[in-house]
Short mmCIF file of all heavy atoms in Angstrom, two decimals:
data_model
loop_
_atom_site.label_atom_id
_atom_site.label_comp_id
_atom_site.label_asym_id
_atom_site.label_seq_id
_atom_site.Cartn_x
_atom_site.Cartn_y
_atom_site.Cartn_z
N MET A 1 -33.82 -41.60 -51.14
CA MET A 1 -33.44 -40.22 -51.10
C MET A 1 -32.10 -40.08 -51.83
O MET A 1 -31.25 -40.96 -51.78
CB MET A 1 -33.30 -39.75 -49.65
CG MET A 1 -32.80 -38.35 -49.54
SD MET A 1 -32.58 -37.68 -47.87
CE MET A 1 -33.63 -38.62 -46.85
N ILE A 2 -31.91 -38.94 -52.49
CA ILE A 2 -30.65 -38.60 -53.12
C ILE A 2 -30.02 -37.49 -52.28
O ILE A 2 -30.66 -36.47 -52.01
CB ILE A 2 -30.86 -38.13 -54.57
CG1 ILE A 2 -31.52 -39.26 -55.37
CG2 ILE A 2 -29.55 -37.70 -55.20
CD1 ILE A 2 -32.03 -38.85 -56.71
N VAL A 3 -28.79 -37.70 -51.85
CA VAL A 3 -28.11 -36.75 -50.97
C VAL A 3 -27.09 -35.96 -51.78
O VAL A 3 -26.18 -36.54 -52.38
CB VAL A 3 -27.42 -37.48 -49.80
CG1 VAL A 3 -26.73 -36.47 -48.89
CG2 VAL A 3 -28.42 -38.31 -49.02
N CYS A 4 -27.26 -34.64 -51.81
CA CYS A 4 -26.36 -33.76 -52.54
C CYS A 4 -26.12 -32.52 -51.68
O CYS A 4 -27.03 -31.74 -51.44
CB CYS A 4 -26.98 -33.37 -53.89
SG CYS A 4 -25.91 -32.38 -54.93
N PRO A 5 -24.88 -32.34 -51.20
CA PRO A 5 -24.60 -31.20 -50.32
C PRO A 5 -24.78 -29.86 -51.04
O PRO A 5 -24.59 -29.77 -52.25
CB PRO A 5 -23.13 -31.40 -49.89
CG PRO A 5 -22.61 -32.53 -50.68
CD PRO A 5 -23.72 -33.16 -51.43
N PRO A 6 -25.17 -28.83 -50.31
CA PRO A 6 -25.42 -27.52 -50.93
C PRO A 6 -24.17 -26.92 -51.57
O PRO A 6 -24.28 -26.14 -52.50
CB PRO A 6 -25.95 -26.65 -49.79
CG PRO A 6 -25.56 -27.35 -48.54
CD PRO A 6 -25.40 -28.81 -48.87
N GLU A 7 -22.99 -27.29 -51.10
CA GLU A 7 -21.75 -26.73 -51.66
C GLU A 7 -21.22 -27.54 -52.85
O GLU A 7 -20.14 -27.28 -53.35
CB GLU A 7 -20.66 -26.62 -50.58
CG GLU A 7 -20.13 -27.95 -50.09
CD GLU A 7 -20.96 -28.59 -48.99
OE1 GLU A 7 -21.99 -28.04 -48.57
OE2 GLU A 7 -20.56 -29.66 -48.54
N ALA A 8 -22.00 -28.51 -53.31
CA ALA A 8 -21.58 -29.35 -54.42
C ALA A 8 -21.39 -28.52 -55.69
O ALA A 8 -22.06 -27.49 -55.89
CB ALA A 8 -22.62 -30.44 -54.67
N LEU A 9 -20.48 -28.97 -56.53
CA LEU A 9 -20.24 -28.31 -57.81
C LEU A 9 -21.49 -28.43 -58.69
O LEU A 9 -22.29 -29.36 -58.52
CB LEU A 9 -19.05 -28.96 -58.52
CG LEU A 9 -17.70 -28.83 -57.81
CD1 LEU A 9 -16.64 -29.65 -58.53
CD2 LEU A 9 -17.29 -27.37 -57.75
N PRO A 10 -21.66 -27.50 -59.62
CA PRO A 10 -22.84 -27.54 -60.48
C PRO A 10 -23.03 -28.87 -61.22
O PRO A 10 -24.16 -29.34 -61.37
CB PRO A 10 -22.61 -26.40 -61.47
CG PRO A 10 -21.74 -25.44 -60.73
CD PRO A 10 -20.85 -26.31 -59.87
N ASN A 11 -21.93 -29.50 -61.65
CA ASN A 11 -22.09 -30.78 -62.36
C ASN A 11 -22.56 -31.89 -61.43
O ASN A 11 -23.24 -32.82 -61.86
CB ASN A 11 -20.82 -31.17 -63.11
CG ASN A 11 -19.62 -31.36 -62.21
OD1 ASN A 11 -19.57 -30.84 -61.11
ND2 ASN A 11 -18.64 -32.10 -62.69
N VAL A 12 -22.24 -31.81 -60.15
CA VAL A 12 -22.72 -32.80 -59.18
C VAL A 12 -24.20 -32.57 -58.92
O VAL A 12 -24.98 -33.53 -58.83
CB VAL A 12 -21.90 -32.73 -57.88
CG1 VAL A 12 -22.46 -33.66 -56.82
CG2 VAL A 12 -20.43 -33.06 -58.15
N LYS A 13 -24.62 -31.33 -58.85
CA LYS A 13 -26.04 -31.02 -58.67
C LYS A 13 -26.84 -31.50 -59.88
O LYS A 13 -27.94 -32.04 -59.74
CB LYS A 13 -26.24 -29.53 -58.44
CG LYS A 13 -25.71 -29.06 -57.09
CD LYS A 13 -25.92 -27.58 -56.90
CE LYS A 13 -25.36 -27.14 -55.55
NZ LYS A 13 -25.57 -25.73 -55.30
N LEU A 14 -26.27 -31.32 -61.07
CA LEU A 14 -26.93 -31.83 -62.27
C LEU A 14 -27.03 -33.35 -62.23
O LEU A 14 -28.06 -33.92 -62.59
CB LEU A 14 -26.17 -31.38 -63.52
CG LEU A 14 -26.70 -31.91 -64.84
CD1 LEU A 14 -28.14 -31.46 -65.08
CD2 LEU A 14 -25.80 -31.48 -65.98
N ALA A 15 -25.97 -34.00 -61.76
CA ALA A 15 -25.99 -35.46 -61.63
C ALA A 15 -27.10 -35.91 -60.69
O ALA A 15 -27.77 -36.92 -60.96
CB ALA A 15 -24.63 -35.96 -61.14
N ALA A 16 -27.33 -35.19 -59.61
CA ALA A 16 -28.41 -35.53 -58.68
C ALA A 16 -29.76 -35.49 -59.39
O ALA A 16 -30.58 -36.39 -59.24
CB ALA A 16 -28.40 -34.58 -57.49
N LYS A 17 -29.96 -34.45 -60.20
CA LYS A 17 -31.21 -34.34 -60.94
C LYS A 17 -31.35 -35.46 -61.97
O LYS A 17 -32.45 -36.01 -62.16
CB LYS A 17 -31.29 -32.99 -61.64
CG LYS A 17 -31.44 -31.84 -60.67
CD LYS A 17 -31.44 -30.52 -61.40
CE LYS A 17 -31.47 -29.36 -60.42
NZ LYS A 17 -31.40 -28.08 -61.10
N GLU A 18 -30.25 -35.81 -62.63
CA GLU A 18 -30.29 -36.86 -63.64
C GLU A 18 -30.55 -38.23 -63.01
O GLU A 18 -31.30 -39.03 -63.56
CB GLU A 18 -28.99 -36.88 -64.44
CG GLU A 18 -28.87 -35.73 -65.41
CD GLU A 18 -29.94 -35.79 -66.49
OE1 GLU A 18 -30.00 -36.80 -67.22
OE2 GLU A 18 -30.72 -34.82 -66.59
N ILE A 19 -29.94 -38.50 -61.88
CA ILE A 19 -30.19 -39.77 -61.18
C ILE A 19 -31.64 -39.83 -60.73
O ILE A 19 -32.31 -40.86 -60.87
CB ILE A 19 -29.23 -39.95 -59.99
CG1 ILE A 19 -27.81 -40.20 -60.51
CG2 ILE A 19 -29.67 -41.09 -59.08
CD1 ILE A 19 -26.75 -40.16 -59.45
N ARG A 20 -32.14 -38.72 -60.23
CA ARG A 20 -33.54 -38.66 -59.80
C ARG A 20 -34.47 -38.96 -60.98
O ARG A 20 -35.42 -39.72 -60.87
CB ARG A 20 -33.82 -37.27 -59.23
CG ARG A 20 -35.20 -37.09 -58.69
CD ARG A 20 -35.36 -35.67 -58.20
NE ARG A 20 -36.54 -35.57 -57.35
CZ ARG A 20 -37.29 -34.50 -57.26
NH1 ARG A 20 -36.97 -33.41 -57.95
NH2 ARG A 20 -38.34 -34.47 -56.49
N ARG A 21 -34.17 -38.35 -62.13
CA ARG A 21 -34.99 -38.56 -63.32
C ARG A 21 -34.92 -40.02 -63.78
O ARG A 21 -35.94 -40.63 -64.10
CB ARG A 21 -34.51 -37.63 -64.44
CG ARG A 21 -35.32 -37.72 -65.72
CD ARG A 21 -34.78 -36.76 -66.77
NE ARG A 21 -33.51 -37.20 -67.30
CZ ARG A 21 -33.38 -38.08 -68.30
NH1 ARG A 21 -34.44 -38.64 -68.84
NH2 ARG A 21 -32.19 -38.41 -68.73
N PHE A 22 -33.72 -40.58 -63.80
CA PHE A 22 -33.54 -41.97 -64.24
C PHE A 22 -34.32 -42.94 -63.34
O PHE A 22 -35.00 -43.83 -63.82
CB PHE A 22 -32.05 -42.33 -64.25
CG PHE A 22 -31.78 -43.74 -64.68
CD1 PHE A 22 -31.83 -44.08 -66.02
CD2 PHE A 22 -31.51 -44.72 -63.75
CE1 PHE A 22 -31.59 -45.39 -66.42
CE2 PHE A 22 -31.28 -46.02 -64.14
CZ PHE A 22 -31.31 -46.36 -65.48
N ILE A 23 -34.21 -42.74 -62.04
CA ILE A 23 -34.94 -43.61 -61.10
C ILE A 23 -36.44 -43.46 -61.30
O ILE A 23 -37.18 -44.44 -61.29
CB ILE A 23 -34.51 -43.32 -59.65
CG1 ILE A 23 -33.06 -43.78 -59.44
CG2 ILE A 23 -35.44 -43.98 -58.65
CD1 ILE A 23 -32.45 -43.36 -58.13
N TYR A 24 -36.89 -42.22 -61.53
CA TYR A 24 -38.32 -42.01 -61.77
C TYR A 24 -38.79 -42.73 -63.03
O TYR A 24 -39.85 -43.37 -63.04
CB TYR A 24 -38.62 -40.51 -61.87
CG TYR A 24 -40.06 -40.25 -62.24
CD1 TYR A 24 -41.07 -40.41 -61.30
CD2 TYR A 24 -40.39 -39.86 -63.52
CE1 TYR A 24 -42.39 -40.19 -61.63
CE2 TYR A 24 -41.72 -39.64 -63.87
CZ TYR A 24 -42.71 -39.81 -62.92
OH TYR A 24 -44.02 -39.59 -63.26
N LEU A 25 -38.01 -42.63 -64.11
CA LEU A 25 -38.38 -43.29 -65.36
C LEU A 25 -38.45 -44.81 -65.21
O LEU A 25 -39.25 -45.47 -65.86
CB LEU A 25 -37.39 -42.93 -66.47
CG LEU A 25 -37.44 -41.48 -66.95
CD1 LEU A 25 -36.29 -41.21 -67.92
CD2 LEU A 25 -38.78 -41.18 -67.60
N ARG A 26 -37.61 -45.37 -64.35
CA ARG A 26 -37.57 -46.82 -64.17
C ARG A 26 -38.57 -47.34 -63.14
O ARG A 26 -39.04 -48.45 -63.25
CB ARG A 26 -36.16 -47.26 -63.76
CG ARG A 26 -35.10 -47.00 -64.79
CD ARG A 26 -35.35 -47.87 -66.01
NE ARG A 26 -34.41 -47.55 -67.06
CZ ARG A 26 -34.76 -47.17 -68.27
NH1 ARG A 26 -36.02 -47.05 -68.59
NH2 ARG A 26 -33.85 -46.91 -69.18
N THR A 27 -38.88 -46.51 -62.14
CA THR A 27 -39.72 -47.01 -61.04
C THR A 27 -41.04 -46.27 -60.87
O THR A 27 -41.93 -46.77 -60.20
CB THR A 27 -38.97 -46.91 -59.69
OG1 THR A 27 -38.78 -45.53 -59.36
CG2 THR A 27 -37.62 -47.62 -59.74
N GLY A 28 -41.14 -45.06 -61.43
CA GLY A 28 -42.32 -44.24 -61.22
C GLY A 28 -42.31 -43.51 -59.88
O GLY A 28 -43.25 -42.81 -59.54
N GLU A 29 -41.22 -43.66 -59.13
CA GLU A 29 -41.09 -43.00 -57.81
C GLU A 29 -40.14 -41.81 -57.93
O GLU A 29 -39.01 -41.96 -58.40
CB GLU A 29 -40.56 -43.98 -56.77
CG GLU A 29 -40.49 -43.38 -55.40
CD GLU A 29 -40.04 -44.37 -54.34
OE1 GLU A 29 -39.99 -45.57 -54.62
OE2 GLU A 29 -39.75 -43.92 -53.22
N LEU A 30 -40.59 -40.63 -57.51
CA LEU A 30 -39.77 -39.43 -57.55
C LEU A 30 -39.10 -39.26 -56.19
O LEU A 30 -39.75 -38.89 -55.21
CB LEU A 30 -40.63 -38.21 -57.89
CG LEU A 30 -39.90 -36.94 -58.24
CD1 LEU A 30 -38.97 -37.14 -59.43
CD2 LEU A 30 -40.89 -35.83 -58.54
N LEU A 31 -37.81 -39.56 -56.13
CA LEU A 31 -37.08 -39.48 -54.87
C LEU A 31 -36.80 -38.04 -54.48
O LEU A 31 -36.53 -37.20 -55.35
CB LEU A 31 -35.75 -40.22 -54.98
CG LEU A 31 -35.80 -41.72 -55.25
CD1 LEU A 31 -34.39 -42.29 -55.34
CD2 LEU A 31 -36.59 -42.44 -54.18
N PRO A 32 -36.83 -37.73 -53.19
CA PRO A 32 -36.47 -36.39 -52.75
C PRO A 32 -34.95 -36.19 -52.82
O PRO A 32 -34.19 -37.15 -52.73
CB PRO A 32 -36.95 -36.35 -51.29
CG PRO A 32 -36.94 -37.77 -50.86
CD PRO A 32 -37.25 -38.59 -52.08
N VAL A 33 -34.54 -34.94 -53.01
CA VAL A 33 -33.13 -34.57 -52.95
C VAL A 33 -32.93 -33.81 -51.65
O VAL A 33 -33.65 -32.85 -51.38
CB VAL A 33 -32.70 -33.71 -54.16
CG1 VAL A 33 -31.25 -33.29 -54.04
CG2 VAL A 33 -32.93 -34.47 -55.46
N ALA A 34 -31.96 -34.26 -50.83
CA ALA A 34 -31.73 -33.64 -49.52
C ALA A 34 -30.25 -33.30 -49.36
O ALA A 34 -29.40 -33.81 -50.08
CB ALA A 34 -32.18 -34.58 -48.41
N GLU A 35 -29.96 -32.45 -48.39
CA GLU A 35 -28.58 -32.05 -48.11
C GLU A 35 -27.82 -33.10 -47.31
O GLU A 35 -26.60 -33.16 -47.36
CB GLU A 35 -28.57 -30.72 -47.36
CG GLU A 35 -29.10 -29.58 -48.19
CD GLU A 35 -29.11 -28.27 -47.43
OE1 GLU A 35 -28.65 -28.23 -46.27
OE2 GLU A 35 -29.57 -27.27 -48.00
N SER A 36 -28.53 -33.93 -46.55
CA SER A 36 -27.88 -34.97 -45.75
C SER A 36 -28.89 -36.05 -45.44
O SER A 36 -30.08 -35.87 -45.64
CB SER A 36 -27.31 -34.38 -44.46
OG SER A 36 -28.36 -33.89 -43.65
N GLY A 37 -28.38 -37.17 -44.94
CA GLY A 37 -29.25 -38.27 -44.55
C GLY A 37 -28.89 -39.54 -45.29
O GLY A 37 -27.93 -39.58 -46.06
N PRO A 38 -29.66 -40.61 -45.07
CA PRO A 38 -29.39 -41.87 -45.74
C PRO A 38 -29.90 -41.83 -47.18
O PRO A 38 -30.88 -41.16 -47.48
CB PRO A 38 -30.18 -42.88 -44.91
CG PRO A 38 -31.32 -42.09 -44.38
CD PRO A 38 -30.77 -40.70 -44.14
N GLY A 39 -29.23 -42.54 -48.06
CA GLY A 39 -29.67 -42.60 -49.45
C GLY A 39 -28.49 -42.66 -50.39
O GLY A 39 -27.38 -43.02 -50.00
N ILE A 40 -28.71 -42.30 -51.64
CA ILE A 40 -27.64 -42.25 -52.65
C ILE A 40 -26.90 -40.94 -52.43
O ILE A 40 -27.47 -39.86 -52.51
CB ILE A 40 -28.23 -42.30 -54.06
CG1 ILE A 40 -29.00 -43.61 -54.26
CG2 ILE A 40 -27.13 -42.17 -55.10
CD1 ILE A 40 -29.81 -43.65 -55.54
N VAL A 41 -25.59 -41.04 -52.15
CA VAL A 41 -24.79 -39.86 -51.81
C VAL A 41 -23.99 -39.43 -53.04
O VAL A 41 -23.28 -40.23 -53.63
CB VAL A 41 -23.83 -40.18 -50.64
CG1 VAL A 41 -22.97 -38.98 -50.30
CG2 VAL A 41 -24.61 -40.66 -49.43
N LEU A 42 -24.09 -38.15 -53.40
CA LEU A 42 -23.33 -37.61 -54.52
C LEU A 42 -22.21 -36.73 -54.01
O LEU A 42 -22.44 -35.79 -53.25
CB LEU A 42 -24.23 -36.78 -55.44
CG LEU A 42 -25.02 -37.59 -56.43
CD1 LEU A 42 -26.25 -38.15 -55.78
CD2 LEU A 42 -25.34 -36.78 -57.63
N LYS A 43 -21.01 -37.06 -54.43
CA LYS A 43 -19.86 -36.21 -54.15
C LYS A 43 -18.77 -36.57 -55.14
O LYS A 43 -18.74 -37.66 -55.69
CB LYS A 43 -19.37 -36.35 -52.71
CG LYS A 43 -18.86 -37.73 -52.34
CD LYS A 43 -18.41 -37.75 -50.90
CE LYS A 43 -17.88 -39.11 -50.52
NZ LYS A 43 -17.38 -39.14 -49.16
N ARG A 44 -17.88 -35.65 -55.38
CA ARG A 44 -16.79 -35.85 -56.32
C ARG A 44 -15.75 -36.78 -55.71
O ARG A 44 -15.42 -36.67 -54.54
CB ARG A 44 -16.16 -34.51 -56.67
CG ARG A 44 -15.20 -34.60 -57.80
CD ARG A 44 -14.76 -33.22 -58.25
NE ARG A 44 -13.82 -33.34 -59.33
CZ ARG A 44 -12.55 -33.71 -59.18
NH1 ARG A 44 -12.09 -33.98 -57.99
NH2 ARG A 44 -11.74 -33.83 -60.21
N ASP A 45 -15.23 -37.71 -56.54
CA ASP A 45 -14.19 -38.64 -56.08
C ASP A 45 -12.99 -38.49 -57.03
O ASP A 45 -13.01 -39.00 -58.15
CB ASP A 45 -14.70 -40.07 -56.09
CG ASP A 45 -13.72 -41.06 -55.50
OD1 ASP A 45 -12.51 -40.74 -55.39
OD2 ASP A 45 -14.15 -42.17 -55.15
N PRO A 46 -11.94 -37.77 -56.60
CA PRO A 46 -10.80 -37.52 -57.49
C PRO A 46 -10.00 -38.78 -57.85
O PRO A 46 -9.18 -38.74 -58.76
CB PRO A 46 -9.95 -36.51 -56.72
CG PRO A 46 -10.38 -36.63 -55.31
CD PRO A 46 -11.79 -37.13 -55.31
N SER A 47 -10.25 -39.89 -57.18
CA SER A 47 -9.51 -41.11 -57.51
C SER A 47 -10.06 -41.79 -58.76
O SER A 47 -9.43 -42.70 -59.29
CB SER A 47 -9.54 -42.09 -56.33
OG SER A 47 -10.84 -42.60 -56.15
N LEU A 48 -11.23 -41.35 -59.23
CA LEU A 48 -11.83 -41.95 -60.42
C LEU A 48 -11.46 -41.17 -61.67
O LEU A 48 -11.25 -39.96 -61.63
CB LEU A 48 -13.35 -41.98 -60.27
CG LEU A 48 -13.91 -42.80 -59.12
CD1 LEU A 48 -15.41 -42.65 -59.05
CD2 LEU A 48 -13.53 -44.26 -59.25
N ALA A 49 -11.42 -41.87 -62.79
CA ALA A 49 -11.12 -41.24 -64.07
C ALA A 49 -12.34 -40.45 -64.56
O ALA A 49 -13.44 -40.58 -64.01
CB ALA A 49 -10.75 -42.30 -65.10
N ALA A 50 -12.13 -39.65 -65.60
CA ALA A 50 -13.24 -38.90 -66.19
C ALA A 50 -14.32 -39.87 -66.64
O ALA A 50 -14.04 -40.96 -67.13
CB ALA A 50 -12.73 -38.08 -67.37
N GLN A 51 -15.57 -39.46 -66.46
CA GLN A 51 -16.73 -40.26 -66.85
C GLN A 51 -16.90 -41.53 -66.03
O GLN A 51 -17.61 -42.44 -66.43
CB GLN A 51 -16.71 -40.59 -68.34
CG GLN A 51 -16.71 -39.37 -69.23
CD GLN A 51 -17.90 -38.46 -69.00
OE1 GLN A 51 -19.02 -38.93 -68.89
NE2 GLN A 51 -17.67 -37.18 -68.87
N GLN A 52 -16.23 -41.64 -64.88
CA GLN A 52 -16.47 -42.74 -63.95
C GLN A 52 -17.20 -42.16 -62.74
O GLN A 52 -16.92 -41.05 -62.32
CB GLN A 52 -15.18 -43.38 -63.47
CG GLN A 52 -14.54 -44.31 -64.46
CD GLN A 52 -13.37 -45.04 -63.83
OE1 GLN A 52 -12.64 -44.49 -63.01
NE2 GLN A 52 -13.20 -46.28 -64.21
N TYR A 53 -18.12 -42.96 -62.21
CA TYR A 53 -18.93 -42.49 -61.09
C TYR A 53 -19.05 -43.58 -60.05
O TYR A 53 -19.04 -44.75 -60.36
CB TYR A 53 -20.34 -42.11 -61.59
CG TYR A 53 -20.28 -41.12 -62.71
CD1 TYR A 53 -20.29 -41.54 -64.03
CD2 TYR A 53 -20.18 -39.77 -62.44
CE1 TYR A 53 -20.20 -40.62 -65.07
CE2 TYR A 53 -20.10 -38.85 -63.47
CZ TYR A 53 -20.11 -39.29 -64.78
OH TYR A 53 -20.03 -38.38 -65.79
N ARG A 54 -19.16 -43.17 -58.81
CA ARG A 54 -19.36 -44.11 -57.72
C ARG A 54 -20.65 -43.71 -57.01
O ARG A 54 -20.78 -42.59 -56.55
CB ARG A 54 -18.18 -44.07 -56.76
CG ARG A 54 -18.35 -45.03 -55.59
CD ARG A 54 -17.08 -45.16 -54.76
NE ARG A 54 -16.10 -45.89 -55.54
CZ ARG A 54 -14.84 -45.48 -55.73
NH1 ARG A 54 -14.42 -44.36 -55.20
NH2 ARG A 54 -14.02 -46.20 -56.46
N LEU A 55 -21.58 -44.63 -56.97
CA LEU A 55 -22.82 -44.40 -56.24
C LEU A 55 -22.70 -45.10 -54.90
O LEU A 55 -22.48 -46.30 -54.85
CB LEU A 55 -24.03 -44.96 -57.01
CG LEU A 55 -24.29 -44.39 -58.39
CD1 LEU A 55 -25.47 -45.10 -59.01
CD2 LEU A 55 -24.53 -42.90 -58.32
N LYS A 56 -22.81 -44.34 -53.83
CA LYS A 56 -22.75 -44.92 -52.50
C LYS A 56 -24.12 -44.85 -51.85
O LYS A 56 -24.79 -43.83 -51.92
CB LYS A 56 -21.74 -44.16 -51.63
CG LYS A 56 -20.31 -44.35 -52.04
CD LYS A 56 -19.39 -43.71 -51.02
CE LYS A 56 -17.96 -44.02 -51.36
NZ LYS A 56 -17.06 -43.50 -50.33
N THR A 57 -24.48 -45.94 -51.23
CA THR A 57 -25.74 -45.97 -50.49
C THR A 57 -25.41 -46.28 -49.04
O THR A 57 -24.27 -46.57 -48.69
CB THR A 57 -26.68 -47.05 -51.04
OG1 THR A 57 -26.10 -48.32 -50.83
CG2 THR A 57 -26.94 -46.84 -52.53
N SER A 58 -26.43 -46.24 -48.23
CA SER A 58 -26.20 -46.49 -46.81
C SER A 58 -25.82 -47.94 -46.53
O SER A 58 -25.31 -48.26 -45.47
CB SER A 58 -27.44 -46.11 -46.00
OG SER A 58 -28.56 -46.82 -46.49
N ASP A 59 -26.03 -48.84 -47.50
CA ASP A 59 -25.70 -50.25 -47.26
C ASP A 59 -24.67 -50.83 -48.24
O ASP A 59 -24.53 -52.03 -48.36
CB ASP A 59 -26.96 -51.10 -47.27
CG ASP A 59 -27.68 -51.04 -48.59
OD1 ASP A 59 -27.26 -50.29 -49.48
OD2 ASP A 59 -28.70 -51.74 -48.73
N GLY A 60 -23.92 -49.99 -48.96
CA GLY A 60 -22.89 -50.52 -49.86
C GLY A 60 -22.49 -49.52 -50.91
O GLY A 60 -22.94 -48.39 -50.94
N THR A 61 -21.60 -49.96 -51.80
CA THR A 61 -21.08 -49.12 -52.85
C THR A 61 -21.17 -49.83 -54.18
O THR A 61 -20.87 -51.01 -54.27
CB THR A 61 -19.60 -48.76 -52.57
OG1 THR A 61 -19.53 -48.07 -51.34
CG2 THR A 61 -19.00 -47.91 -53.66
N LEU A 62 -21.55 -49.11 -55.20
CA LEU A 62 -21.59 -49.64 -56.56
C LEU A 62 -20.83 -48.66 -57.43
O LEU A 62 -21.13 -47.48 -57.44
CB LEU A 62 -23.04 -49.75 -57.04
CG LEU A 62 -23.26 -50.05 -58.51
CD1 LEU A 62 -22.71 -51.43 -58.86
CD2 LEU A 62 -24.71 -49.94 -58.87
N THR A 63 -19.82 -49.11 -58.15
CA THR A 63 -19.07 -48.26 -59.06
C THR A 63 -19.48 -48.57 -60.49
O THR A 63 -19.48 -49.74 -60.89
CB THR A 63 -17.55 -48.48 -58.90
OG1 THR A 63 -17.20 -48.19 -57.56
CG2 THR A 63 -16.76 -47.58 -59.82
N ILE A 64 -19.82 -47.52 -61.22
CA ILE A 64 -20.20 -47.71 -62.63
C ILE A 64 -19.37 -46.80 -63.51
O ILE A 64 -18.80 -45.85 -63.07
CB ILE A 64 -21.70 -47.46 -62.86
CG1 ILE A 64 -22.11 -46.08 -62.34
CG2 ILE A 64 -22.52 -48.53 -62.19
CD1 ILE A 64 -23.52 -45.70 -62.65
#
């Protein structure tokens, strides 16, 4: 599941769609997008530089 809060900025909502598309292209599985719950969590992190992203899951963190 991809978690994107309803109050997220438009670019974060777009990122949720892009991550969903990328995962689908790689796995053939279309993940649901939800407002809360376990999964890949999208939110803005002001400690990161432009064009840096942090993907958090329920079992760890990966920064790309």
Side-chain angles (χ1 to χ4, degrees):
M1 175 180 337
I2 300 168
V3 180
C4 185
E7 69 276 1
L9 296 174
N11 61 337
V12 175
K13 291 180 181 182
L14 176 61
K17 291 177 185 177
E18 287 296 301
I19 290 171
R20 183 182 195 212
R21 183 180 71 84
F22 180 78
I23 291 171
Y24 175 75
L25 290 173
R26 297 293 175 237
T27 67
E29 183 176 349
L30 192 58
L31 297 180
V33 177
E35 295 179 2
S36 63
I40 299 170
V41 179
L42 278 81
K43 63 180 181 177
R44 190 171 179 285
D45 186 342
S47 69
L48 298 176
Q51 301 302 315
Q52 283 188 324
Y53 306 93
R54 179 171 289 130
L55 300 178
K56 291 188 175 184
T57 65
S58 56
D59 61 356
T61 300
L62 169 65
T63 301
I64 54 174

